[in-house]
Amino acid sequence: DGAVGQWAEDMQALADGVRRIHPDPFWRQSEADFDASLAAAPALLATVDGTDATAEVMRMTSRIDGHSGVYLADAGFHLYDIHLYEFDGEFAVIAAADPTLVGATVVSIDGMLVADAAAAVAPYSPFDNAATVRLVVPTLLTTPEVLRAAGVIDDVDAPRYVVRGIDGTVRTIDPGQRSWDEAVARDPR
């Protein structure tokens, strides 16, 4: 198949580039595991749309370190209009287009408990250490394309965040999306 062959060429170029440029690309995963993931990738990548393929390459390259890979802004991914931060295992809204959401904590996303959603998106996070993941996962929990690729949501236009307000009120929200540039201009994370 032509698409599988093209992806195989792309994965070989990625492998060659990583080996040529990175001083220590196999400190998190073995070289054999890296090669196996690149060998398996073309069959999968040929069956998904471009956005999911980009997310999958992001997941694969995040296993290298926190400085190599596909970055959200460069991928053309979007952000929902809520800014989350993790406090003691809870994901709190610290900024939002709807100011009444500030201080709320996320209970679930599209029916998945937020802790499970965080675990699902964590493999897409660059990694230098656990602190990197802790810092990046809240942003990934507001990135529609990553949430869909990770199996957290089905519809990027209806993520169905369930949030608990500081007064205990629980409600479901579907925040709007912004391009990365629009989101950073509004809320420089």
Side-chain angles (χ1 to χ4, degrees), residues 143-166:
T143 306
E145 296 86 353
V146 172
L147 288 169
R148 185 180 73 187
V152 176
I153 64 173
D154 292 320
D155 182 353
V156 297
D157 294 320
R160 298 184 10 212
Y161 286 82
V162 174
V163 297
R164 179 176 295 110
I166 55 176

Side-chain angles (χ1 to χ4, degrees), residues 91 108-109 112-123 137 140-141 147 150 152:
F91 293 90
S108 65
I109 305 171
M112 183 181 291
L113 292 175
V114 72
D116 295 335
V121 302
V137 163
L140 296 177
L141 287 173
L147 288 169
V152 176

